[in-house]
Amino acid sequence: MPSEGRCWETLEALRSSEKGRLCYHRDWLLRGEDVLEECMSIPKLSSYSGWVVDHVLPHTQENPPPSETETSSFSSSPSALDQPSFVPPSPVGSIAFSPASPATPDGTKDRPESQHAEPMVLQSSRGIRVEGCIRMYELVHRMKGTEGLRQWQEEQEKKVRALSEMACEQLKRFDERKELKHHKEFQDLQEVMEKSSREALGHQEKLKAEHRHRAKILNLKLREAEQQRLRQVELARLRKEEGQVRLRGLYALQEEMLHLNQQLDSSDQPRDLLKVDLSAFRTRGNQLCGLISGIIRATSENGFPSAEEHAAAERALQEMRDLLVNLQQEIARASEDKRRQDEEEAQVKRQESQMQQGPEVHKESPAPSQGPGGKQKEDLQVKVQDSTMQWYQQLQEASCQCVLACEGLTSSQDSQTKKIKMDLQKAATIPVSQISTIAGSKLKEIFDKIHSLLSGKPVQSGGRSVSVTLNPQGLDFVQYKLAEKFVKQGEEEVASHHEAAFPIAVVASGIWELHPRVGDLILAHLHKKCPYSVPFYPAFKEGMALEDYQRMLGYQVKDSKVEQQDNFLKRMSGMIRLYAAIIQLRWPYGKQQEIHPHGLNHGWRWLAQILNMEPLSDVTATLLFDFLEVCGNALMKQYQAQFWKMILLIREDYFPRIEAITSSGQMGSFIRLKQFLEKCLQRKEIPVPKGFLTSSFWRS
């Protein structure tokens, strides 16, 4: 039917239009392509326009114009072009059929078109109108789309502006609320701060009031404390003044006591008064002197003497005065008796001479009374024997001569001489400080080094070569310093470690044997620091300062302060132990056939002389214990029965004398000595001293 053909033509025309040729894909949005890209592109001819010109336009010119009915139908319904169902034919329709009916350019194969293909061939004016209508339609729709897009963009811009303005307003409201909140918080904080400030001010005022109150109380307390302190200072000053007065009085009492004791000692009994026993007076005088000395030692440790101690010293002095008076009375009484006896004897002789005729017959006077065992009972001595005192003075003179001999070296201000002096002193003293019980070979190295130095050979000291030949006075200086160092080691090292006495003593004994002058200087230093090693009890002389007398007794006095009794006894003990070790040891590598330069006979002499002297409180017991503990075994082997008689004499006769002068607070040393000797008497043996050097030591 014609209507159906036209519909198909219309559809074919629409399909052949630009929009009909558009490719629509559902995934354009996913691809990101623009939908309107082809609509907005510049129009261009189809690739089939050449075929239309070659095939359609010639046929249109050859065919007659359409019938009037058709024309009228087109003209009567011009609005049909505007209808959507009208689709003009398009050359595109030939695209589907041209491949199916190929035609040569020369027209040899001109087959008739199919019944559907023929209606698609349009007249040129109609196709142009249809194409124009389509283009107008497209333009209208493009304009509508552009206008709609512009309106949509404007609406979107308005919305964006509205949203932006609304966001700005909201931001302004937010800022206003935030500022308001900050302002409220600031006001709250300011109010809190003002409130806390007011509270702090109130609290501060309260604290100020309390502080003022406490300050008043504290000032009162400080004034009271200051007054109390001033009172205490005044009392302390008064006590100190009283103590100093008592101390000076105590020294004066001791000086007078020593003077009276010296008078007792000087009151020697004449030979014609032997029947009068004055030993009790001397013993009691020594005890009273020991009592005063004990009070002064206790005072030096505790500060100032108390009133009780001063009273006790005064009582002791008064007793000493009475003792001296009684002694003088006893001597005067004995003298009077002797005088009367002499007068009576003279009268009898005169009578006999008158009665007798002939030559005078001389009779022997009766022998002096003998004590038990045929021995005269003698009192103990206070002074040292004359021979011992002479030996002591000779050693001190030798020491002084050695000091004078090296005075040029010791007092020189020349830097080179000072350097030599220091090198020699180090070379002499450092090896002695290194003496120990580590090994016998080490001890031999030290001995050889000291012997080489004294022999004039160079030795290494402090990385330098040192020799006594560097200075003419070098040998005297080294001998003096070496002897001084040996005694100092006994005073310090042996006092702290008793076993150290033996290695020091064996080296000193070996040096003494090869260099006798060093041994004499060792004795001189030992006697000067420890007079009890002589034994020698220095006597107090008139006009002598008390500090000088205490130094003579062996005490160390610094800034008018006497050292404590414990430290004094410790030093004396160390030096006596060193002396006891020296007299029994010999250098094992020396000449054994020669006699020891200062052997056990001197130890026996020292023990006998100290037992013949009055004991000293706390000192005699300490020195006897140290001497017998170190040297007792050697003396026992040397003197055997005579030694045990000496020990029995100490226990039976000397112990009561020591106990009589020892106070209750100083019984420790006496008890220690007593227990030691009783144990030795029970075992009938003196044990070998601890630390004694055996033969195995010298092989180490």
Side-chain angles (χ1 to χ4, degrees):
M1 294 178 64
S3 60
E4 293 179 358
R6 288 180 181 178
C7 290
W8 283 106
E9 291 176 0
T10 303
L11 292 175
E12 289 297 333
L14 290 173
R15 182 180 296 172
S16 301
S17 66
E18 290 183 0
K19 286 189 177 182
R21 291 194 303 270
L22 292 177
C23 298
Y24 296 94
H25 299 280
R26 295 180 179 179
D27 55 349
W28 276 354
L29 294 177
L30 297 177
R31 293 180 183 178
E33 297 178 359
D34 192 359
V35 179
L36 302 177
E37 182 180 1
E38 294 185 4
C39 297
M40 298 176 65
S41 61
I42 301 173
K44 58 183 179 179
L45 293 175
S46 173
S47 58
Y48 298 100
S49 58
W51 185 84
V52 172
V53 171
D54 294 334
H55 295 83
V56 177
L57 291 181
H59 291 289
T60 305
Q61 293 175 1
E62 292 176 1
N63 292 332
S67 60
E68 295 178 357
T69 57
E70 294 177 356
T71 305
S72 62
S73 62
F74 280 103
S75 61
S76 61
S77 58
S79 61
L81 294 173
D82 297 331
Q83 297 296 325
S85 61
F86 176 74
V87 179
S90 175
V92 180
S94 62
I95 297 173
F97 300 99
S98 58
S101 57
T104 59
D106 53 0
T108 54
K109 293 183 179 180
D110 288 333
R111 296 182 180 179
E113 298 284 341
S114 63
Q115 58 180 357
H116 295 288
E118 290 178 356
M120 291 178 62
V121 179
L122 301 176
Q123 297 294 328
S124 61
S125 59
R126 182 182 177 184
I128 291 171
R129 283 197 304 269
V130 171
E131 187 70 22
C133 290
I134 291 173
R135 290 183 179 273
M136 287 297 295
Y137 182 79
E138 290 177 354
L139 180 62
V140 170
H141 279 277
R142 187 181 298 113
M143 292 177 65
K144 288 182 180 181
T146 303
E147 182 65 19
L149 180 62
R150 186 183 61 78
Q151 292 178 358
W152 181 81
Q153 287 178 349
E154 289 178 357
E155 290 177 359
Q156 294 299 321
E157 290 177 358
K158 289 179 180 180
K159 290 180 181 180
V160 169
R161 284 195 297 272
L163 290 174
S164 177
E165 291 175 357
M166 184 174 64
C168 291
E169 292 297 327
Q170 289 179 355
L171 182 61
K172 289 179 181 179
R173 301 292 85 76
F174 177 76
D175 291 340
E176 291 174 357
R177 286 194 297 271
K178 186 176 181 181
E179 185 178 359
L180 180 61
K181 182 178 179 182
H182 288 171
H183 183 67
K184 288 182 178 179
E185 290 178 353
F186 178 75
Q187 286 182 345
D188 295 340
L189 181 61
Q190 191 173 7
E191 291 176 358
V192 170
M193 291 177 64
E194 290 177 356
K195 184 178 179 181
S196 61
S197 177
R198 288 193 298 270
E199 292 177 354
L201 289 175
H203 185 63
Q204 187 176 4
E205 292 296 331
K206 185 177 179 181
L207 289 177
K208 286 182 179 179
E210 292 180 357
H211 176 70
R212 287 192 292 270
H213 179 67
R214 291 179 180 176
K216 291 179 181 179
I217 297 174
L218 185 60
N219 288 332
L220 292 175
K221 290 182 178 180
L222 286 175
R223 283 196 294 271
E224 292 177 358
E226 182 65 19
Q227 293 174 359
Q228 182 69 19
R229 187 187 66 81
L230 292 176
R231 286 195 296 269
Q232 290 178 355
V233 169
E234 184 66 20
L235 290 175
R237 186 183 64 81
L238 293 175
R239 284 195 298 268
K240 185 176 180 181
E241 290 179 356
E242 294 175 358
Q244 289 176 349
V245 170
R246 284 196 295 268
L247 183 60
R248 286 193 293 269
L250 192 60
Y251 285 151
L253 291 176
Q254 187 185 25
E255 186 175 358
E256 186 176 355
M257 178 73 74
L258 292 172
H259 180 68
L260 294 175
N261 190 40
Q262 189 176 5
Q263 291 181 5
L264 283 176
D265 295 338
S266 62
S267 299
D268 294 333
Q269 181 179 358
R271 294 183 179 180
D272 55 355
L273 299 178
L274 292 176
K275 295 182 180 180
V276 180
D277 188 9
L278 302 180
S279 61
F281 293 96
R282 296 194 184 93
T283 302
R284 185 55 185 168
N286 290 330
Q287 292 176 355
L288 292 175
C289 289
L291 177 62
I292 293 289
S293 300
I295 293 175
I296 290 180
R297 283 196 296 270
T299 299
S300 63
E301 296 176 0
N302 301 329
F304 296 106
S306 61
E308 293 78 6
E309 292 174 341
H310 192 268
E314 288 181 347
R315 288 194 298 271
L317 179 61
Q318 186 61 37
E319 186 177 353
M320 176 64 84
R321 291 170 182 167
D322 297 340
L323 188 66
L324 185 60
V325 171
N326 294 334
L327 177 62
Q328 293 174 353
Q329 291 177 357
E330 186 71 22
I331 293 175
R333 189 182 304 109
S335 300
E336 184 66 22
D337 293 341
K338 183 64 176 176
R339 186 182 61 80
R340 286 196 301 267
Q341 184 179 358
D342 291 343
E343 290 177 356
E344 292 176 358
E345 290 179 355
Q347 187 177 2
V348 170
K349 286 181 180 180
R350 282 195 302 270
Q351 292 176 359
E352 290 178 354
S353 64
Q354 293 175 0
M355 293 174 62
Q356 290 178 357
Q357 295 177 358
E360 183 180 359
V361 179
H362 299 280
K363 296 183 180 179
E364 295 181 359
S365 60
S369 60
Q370 301 291 327
K375 291 185 179 180
Q376 182 181 357
K377 184 179 179 181
E378 297 179 356
D379 189 21
L380 295 183
Q381 302 173 0
V382 178
K383 297 182 180 179
V384 68
Q385 294 180 0
D386 294 338
S387 59
T388 305
M389 193 65 189
Q390 186 179 3
W391 173 60
Y392 165 77
Q393 291 174 353
Q394 289 176 355
L395 291 174
Q396 296 303 317
E397 289 176 1
S399 176
C400 293
Q401 290 175 1
C402 184
V403 172
L404 292 175
C406 60
E407 185 178 4
L409 178 61
T410 55
S411 60
S412 176
Q413 300 298 325
D414 182 59
S415 59
Q416 186 66 24
T417 306
K418 286 183 178 180
K419 185 178 180 182
I420 293 174
K421 182 187 73 173
M422 292 302 299
D423 291 343
L424 290 175
Q425 183 171 347
K426 290 179 181 178
T429 57
I430 290 177
V432 180
S433 302
Q434 295 173 346
I435 295 175
S436 64
T437 57
I438 296 176
S441 57
K442 180 67 176 177
L443 210 59
K444 189 174 185 303
E445 291 178 5
I446 295 173
F447 176 85
D448 293 340
K449 188 174 183 179
I450 298 174
H451 175 57
S452 298
L453 179 65
L454 293 172
S455 301
K457 299 177 182 179
V459 296
Q460 293 295 322
S461 177
R464 292 192 298 270
S465 179
V466 181
S467 174
V468 294
T469 58
L470 296 174
N471 190 281
Q473 303 168 358
L475 182 59
D476 294 329
F477 179 76
V478 168
Q479 288 176 344
Y480 185 85
K481 287 297 180 181
L482 184 63
E484 184 182 43
K485 184 62 177 178
F486 273 119
V487 177
K488 191 174 182 180
Q489 285 294 98
E491 184 182 11
E492 297 176 355
E493 182 66 21
V494 179
S496 301
H497 306 90
H498 295 168
E499 297 83 359
F502 297 99
I504 298 173
V506 74
V507 175
S509 177
I511 295 297
W512 194 336
E513 185 175 343
L514 296 176
H515 306 276
R517 191 184 181 194
V518 177
D520 294 340
L521 292 174
I522 289 175
L523 284 177
H525 283 289
L526 185 65
H527 292 168
K528 187 175 181 179
K529 288 192 173 184
C530 179
Y532 313 103
S533 61
V534 178
F536 169 49
Y537 301 160
F540 184 81
K541 298 179 181 179
E542 235 179 296
M544 180 186 293
L546 185 59
E547 294 180 0
D548 295 337
Y549 178 63
Q550 288 169 337
R551 289 191 181 95
M552 287 180 63
L553 292 175
Y555 288 92
Q556 289 182 348
V557 182
K558 294 181 181 178
D559 300 331
S560 300
K561 292 183 179 180
V562 186
E563 68 175 329
Q564 296 183 357
Q565 184 72 4
D566 292 342
N567 189 39
F568 166 73
L569 292 175
K570 183 179 180 181
R571 290 191 303 106
M572 299 299 110
S573 172
M575 287 184 279
I576 286 295
R577 284 179 174 272
L578 178 63
Y579 179 68
I582 288 176
I583 62 178
Q584 64 174 311
L585 292 176
R586 295 195 63 183
W587 183 245
Y589 301 102
K591 298 178 181 179
Q592 299 299 324
Q593 64 272 14
E594 295 184 1
I595 303 175
H596 194 294
H598 196 79
L600 284 173
N601 57 324
H602 290 272
W604 182 263
R605 177 195 59 80
W606 181 88
L607 185 60
Q609 287 192 2
I610 202 168
L611 293 179
N612 283 327
M613 300 177 69
E614 285 290 345
L616 296 179
S617 175
D618 207 18
V619 176
T620 304
T622 300
L623 299 183
L624 279 175
F625 171 77
D626 293 322
F627 184 84
L628 292 174
E629 188 180 39
V630 175
C631 194
N633 182 267
L635 290 174
M636 178 193 69
K637 294 178 180 178
Q638 179 77 16
Y639 296 98
Q640 298 178 358
Q642 293 296 324
F643 175 77
W644 290 112
K645 288 181 181 180
M646 185 82 76
I647 298 299
L648 290 174
L649 176 65
I650 294 174
R651 187 183 70 173
E652 300 297 333
D653 184 55
Y654 209 64
F655 275 174
R657 294 177 180 272
I658 298 176
E659 191 172 6
I661 65 168
T662 305
S663 62
S664 58
Q666 298 175 339
M667 295 294 290
S669 57
F670 170 70
I671 294 174
R672 183 177 55 178
L673 173 62
K674 187 176 181 180
Q675 291 177 351
F676 174 74
L677 292 185
E678 287 178 351
K679 188 181 295 183
C680 293
L681 287 170
Q682 289 176 1
R683 298 178 179 177
K684 294 183 180 181
E685 183 183 10
I686 304 292
V688 177
K690 185 178 180 181
F692 189 80
L693 302 180
T694 60
S695 58
S696 60
F697 170 78
W698 298 107
R699 293 193 295 269
S700 60

Short mmCIF file of all heavy atoms in Angstrom, two decimals, residues 261 264-265 269 276-288 319-320 323-324 326-327 330 377-380 382 614 657 660-661:
data_model
loop_
_atom_site.label_atom_id
_atom_site.label_comp_id
_atom_site.label_asym_id
_atom_site.label_seq_id
_atom_site.Cartn_x
_atom_site.Cartn_y
_atom_site.Cartn_z
N ASN A 261 110.74 13.17 144.34
CA ASN A 261 111.23 11.83 144.05
C ASN A 261 112.73 11.85 143.77
O ASN A 261 113.47 10.93 144.13
CB ASN A 261 110.48 11.25 142.85
CG ASN A 261 110.79 9.78 142.65
OD1 ASN A 261 110.89 9.02 143.63
ND2 ASN A 261 110.94 9.36 141.41
N LEU A 264 114.34 11.90 146.92
CA LEU A 264 114.37 10.54 147.49
C LEU A 264 115.52 9.73 146.90
O LEU A 264 116.21 8.99 147.60
CB LEU A 264 113.04 9.83 147.24
CG LEU A 264 111.85 10.22 148.12
CD1 LEU A 264 110.61 9.48 147.66
CD2 LEU A 264 112.14 9.89 149.58
N ASP A 265 115.67 9.86 145.56
CA ASP A 265 116.75 9.11 144.92
C ASP A 265 118.12 9.61 145.35
O ASP A 265 119.08 8.84 145.46
CB ASP A 265 116.63 9.21 143.40
CG ASP A 265 115.36 8.54 142.91
OD1 ASP A 265 114.83 7.67 143.62
OD2 ASP A 265 114.90 8.89 141.79
N GLN A 269 121.61 6.00 150.96
CA GLN A 269 121.88 5.53 152.32
C GLN A 269 123.39 5.36 152.52
O GLN A 269 124.05 4.71 151.72
CB GLN A 269 121.16 4.20 152.55
CG GLN A 269 121.35 3.64 153.93
CD GLN A 269 120.60 2.35 154.09
OE1 GLN A 269 119.92 1.95 153.16
NE2 GLN A 269 120.72 1.73 155.23
N VAL A 276 119.34 0.11 158.13
CA VAL A 276 118.06 0.78 157.89
C VAL A 276 117.63 0.49 156.45
O VAL A 276 118.36 0.80 155.50
CB VAL A 276 118.19 2.30 158.12
CG1 VAL A 276 116.85 2.97 157.87
CG2 VAL A 276 118.67 2.55 159.54
N ASP A 277 116.45 -0.08 156.27
CA ASP A 277 115.91 -0.43 154.94
C ASP A 277 115.06 0.73 154.43
O ASP A 277 113.99 1.03 154.98
CB ASP A 277 115.08 -1.71 155.03
CG ASP A 277 114.67 -2.20 153.65
OD1 ASP A 277 115.17 -1.64 152.65
OD2 ASP A 277 113.84 -3.13 153.59
N LEU A 278 115.53 1.40 153.37
CA LEU A 278 114.81 2.55 152.78
C LEU A 278 114.14 2.20 151.46
O LEU A 278 113.67 3.09 150.75
CB LEU A 278 115.80 3.70 152.55
CG LEU A 278 116.55 4.21 153.79
CD1 LEU A 278 117.47 5.35 153.40
CD2 LEU A 278 115.58 4.66 154.85
N SER A 279 114.11 0.92 151.10
CA SER A 279 113.51 0.53 149.81
C SER A 279 112.02 0.82 149.76
O SER A 279 111.46 1.15 148.71
CB SER A 279 113.76 -0.95 149.54
OG SER A 279 113.16 -1.74 150.57
N ALA A 280 111.35 0.73 150.89
CA ALA A 280 109.90 1.00 150.92
C ALA A 280 109.61 2.44 150.55
O ALA A 280 108.62 2.74 149.86
CB ALA A 280 109.35 0.68 152.30
N PHE A 281 110.48 3.35 150.98
CA PHE A 281 110.27 4.76 150.64
C PHE A 281 110.41 4.99 149.14
O PHE A 281 109.60 5.69 148.53
CB PHE A 281 111.29 5.63 151.40
CG PHE A 281 111.08 5.63 152.90
CD1 PHE A 281 111.80 4.77 153.71
CD2 PHE A 281 110.16 6.47 153.48
CE1 PHE A 281 111.60 4.77 155.09
CE2 PHE A 281 109.97 6.48 154.85
CZ PHE A 281 110.68 5.63 155.67
N ARG A 282 111.45 4.39 148.54
CA ARG A 282 111.64 4.57 147.10
C ARG A 282 110.50 3.93 146.30
O ARG A 282 110.03 4.48 145.31
CB ARG A 282 112.99 3.96 146.68
CG ARG A 282 114.19 4.66 147.29
CD ARG A 282 115.46 4.23 146.56
NE ARG A 282 116.64 4.81 147.17
CZ ARG A 282 117.38 4.22 148.11
NH1 ARG A 282 117.04 3.01 148.53
NH2 ARG A 282 118.45 4.82 148.61
N THR A 283 110.08 2.75 146.71
CA THR A 283 108.99 2.07 146.00
C THR A 283 107.71 2.90 146.05
O THR A 283 107.02 3.09 145.03
CB THR A 283 108.74 0.69 146.62
OG1 THR A 283 109.95 -0.07 146.55
CG2 THR A 283 107.64 -0.03 145.88
N ARG A 284 107.40 3.39 147.23
CA ARG A 284 106.18 4.20 147.36
C ARG A 284 106.31 5.51 146.58
O ARG A 284 105.34 5.98 145.97
CB ARG A 284 105.91 4.48 148.85
CG ARG A 284 104.59 5.22 149.09
CD ARG A 284 103.45 4.45 148.46
NE ARG A 284 102.19 5.16 148.56
CZ ARG A 284 101.08 4.84 147.90
NH1 ARG A 284 101.10 3.80 147.05
NH2 ARG A 284 99.98 5.51 148.07
N GLY A 285 107.51 6.08 146.58
CA GLY A 285 107.72 7.30 145.80
C GLY A 285 107.50 7.06 144.31
O GLY A 285 106.86 7.87 143.62
N ASN A 286 108.00 5.93 143.81
CA ASN A 286 107.78 5.60 142.38
C ASN A 286 106.30 5.36 142.10
O ASN A 286 105.78 5.74 141.04
CB ASN A 286 108.59 4.36 142.01
CG ASN A 286 110.07 4.65 141.98
OD1 ASN A 286 110.49 5.76 141.70
ND2 ASN A 286 110.89 3.64 142.28
N GLN A 287 105.61 4.73 143.03
CA GLN A 287 104.18 4.50 142.85
C GLN A 287 103.42 5.81 142.80
O GLN A 287 102.51 6.00 141.97
CB GLN A 287 103.65 3.61 143.97
CG GLN A 287 104.16 2.18 143.92
CD GLN A 287 103.69 1.37 145.10
OE1 GLN A 287 103.06 1.90 146.02
NE2 GLN A 287 104.01 0.07 145.10
N LEU A 288 103.77 6.74 143.66
CA LEU A 288 103.10 8.04 143.66
C LEU A 288 103.40 8.81 142.36
O LEU A 288 102.50 9.45 141.79
CB LEU A 288 103.54 8.86 144.88
CG LEU A 288 103.08 8.31 146.24
CD1 LEU A 288 103.69 9.13 147.37
CD2 LEU A 288 101.56 8.31 146.35
N GLU A 319 101.27 13.08 150.36
CA GLU A 319 101.84 11.82 150.84
C GLU A 319 103.33 11.74 150.51
O GLU A 319 104.13 11.24 151.32
CB GLU A 319 101.10 10.65 150.19
CG GLU A 319 101.52 9.30 150.74
CD GLU A 319 100.72 8.15 150.13
OE1 GLU A 319 99.75 8.44 149.38
OE2 GLU A 319 101.07 6.99 150.40
N MET A 320 103.70 12.25 149.30
CA MET A 320 105.11 12.26 148.95
C MET A 320 105.90 13.16 149.89
O MET A 320 107.02 12.82 150.32
CB MET A 320 105.28 12.73 147.49
CG MET A 320 106.73 12.88 147.05
SD MET A 320 107.64 11.32 147.04
CE MET A 320 107.16 10.69 145.44
N LEU A 323 106.21 11.37 152.97
CA LEU A 323 107.16 10.28 152.78
C LEU A 323 108.59 10.79 152.88
O LEU A 323 109.45 10.16 153.50
CB LEU A 323 106.92 9.62 151.42
CG LEU A 323 107.70 8.34 151.13
CD1 LEU A 323 107.25 7.23 152.07
CD2 LEU A 323 107.48 7.91 149.68
N LEU A 324 108.83 11.96 152.26
CA LEU A 324 110.17 12.53 152.33
C LEU A 324 110.53 12.94 153.76
O LEU A 324 111.67 12.73 154.22
CB LEU A 324 110.26 13.73 151.38
CG LEU A 324 111.63 14.39 151.25
CD1 LEU A 324 112.66 13.40 150.73
CD2 LEU A 324 111.55 15.60 150.32
N ASN A 326 109.28 11.60 156.48
CA ASN A 326 109.52 10.36 157.23
C ASN A 326 110.90 9.78 156.90
O ASN A 326 111.59 9.24 157.79
CB ASN A 326 108.44 9.34 156.91
CG ASN A 326 107.08 9.77 157.42
OD1 ASN A 326 106.98 10.55 158.38
ND2 ASN A 326 106.02 9.29 156.78
N LEU A 327 111.27 9.87 155.60
CA LEU A 327 112.58 9.38 155.22
C LEU A 327 113.68 10.16 155.91
O LEU A 327 114.65 9.58 156.44
CB LEU A 327 112.74 9.46 153.69
CG LEU A 327 114.11 9.05 153.13
CD1 LEU A 327 114.41 7.59 153.43
CD2 LEU A 327 114.17 9.32 151.63
N GLU A 330 113.72 9.18 159.44
CA GLU A 330 114.30 7.86 159.61
C GLU A 330 115.82 7.92 159.48
O GLU A 330 116.56 7.29 160.25
CB GLU A 330 113.71 6.90 158.57
CG GLU A 330 114.14 5.46 158.74
CD GLU A 330 113.49 4.82 159.96
OE1 GLU A 330 112.44 5.33 160.41
OE2 GLU A 330 114.03 3.81 160.45
N LYS A 377 120.06 -8.87 150.62
CA LYS A 377 118.78 -8.40 150.09
C LYS A 377 118.96 -6.97 149.58
O LYS A 377 119.27 -6.08 150.35
CB LYS A 377 117.72 -8.46 151.17
CG LYS A 377 116.33 -8.08 150.66
CD LYS A 377 115.31 -8.18 151.75
CE LYS A 377 113.96 -7.80 151.26
NZ LYS A 377 112.95 -7.86 152.31
N GLU A 378 118.79 -6.78 148.28
CA GLU A 378 119.00 -5.47 147.67
C GLU A 378 117.68 -4.93 147.14
O GLU A 378 116.81 -5.69 146.72
CB GLU A 378 120.02 -5.57 146.53
CG GLU A 378 121.40 -6.01 146.99
CD GLU A 378 122.34 -6.11 145.82
OE1 GLU A 378 121.87 -5.93 144.67
OE2 GLU A 378 123.53 -6.37 146.03
N ASP A 379 117.57 -3.64 147.14
CA ASP A 379 116.40 -2.98 146.56
C ASP A 379 116.60 -2.84 145.04
O ASP A 379 117.74 -2.81 144.56
CB ASP A 379 116.22 -1.62 147.20
CG ASP A 379 114.91 -0.99 146.78
OD1 ASP A 379 114.03 -1.74 146.36
OD2 ASP A 379 114.79 0.24 146.89
N LEU A 380 115.50 -2.75 144.31
CA LEU A 380 115.59 -2.58 142.86
C LEU A 380 116.06 -1.18 142.53
O LEU A 380 115.85 -0.22 143.27
CB LEU A 380 114.23 -2.85 142.22
CG LEU A 380 113.70 -4.27 142.35
CD1 LEU A 380 112.39 -4.40 141.61
CD2 LEU A 380 114.71 -5.27 141.82
N VAL A 382 116.48 2.35 140.23
CA VAL A 382 115.67 3.29 139.47
C VAL A 382 116.47 3.83 138.30
O VAL A 382 115.95 4.03 137.21
CB VAL A 382 115.18 4.44 140.37
CG1 VAL A 382 114.37 5.45 139.55
CG2 VAL A 382 114.36 3.91 141.52
N GLU A 614 112.82 -0.68 138.87
CA GLU A 614 111.44 -0.58 139.31
C GLU A 614 110.50 -0.57 138.10
O GLU A 614 110.78 0.12 137.11
CB GLU A 614 111.23 0.69 140.13
CG GLU A 614 111.81 0.63 141.52
CD GLU A 614 111.02 -0.31 142.42
OE1 GLU A 614 109.90 -0.69 142.07
OE2 GLU A 614 111.55 -0.66 143.49
N ARG A 657 105.25 -6.54 142.19
CA ARG A 657 105.65 -5.15 142.05
C ARG A 657 104.86 -4.45 140.94
O ARG A 657 104.45 -3.30 141.08
CB ARG A 657 107.15 -5.06 141.76
CG ARG A 657 108.04 -5.54 142.89
CD ARG A 657 109.51 -5.49 142.48
NE ARG A 657 110.38 -5.95 143.55
CZ ARG A 657 110.88 -5.17 144.51
NH1 ARG A 657 110.57 -3.88 144.53
NH2 ARG A 657 111.68 -5.66 145.45
N ALA A 660 101.30 -3.86 142.05
CA ALA A 660 101.16 -2.85 143.10
C ALA A 660 101.06 -1.44 142.52
O ALA A 660 100.40 -0.58 143.11
CB ALA A 660 102.35 -2.93 144.06
N ILE A 661 101.68 -1.20 141.38
CA ILE A 661 101.67 0.16 140.81
C ILE A 661 100.67 0.31 139.67
O ILE A 661 100.56 1.39 139.08
CB ILE A 661 103.08 0.53 140.29
CG1 ILE A 661 103.47 -0.38 139.13
CG2 ILE A 661 104.09 0.48 141.40
CD1 ILE A 661 104.70 0.08 138.39
#
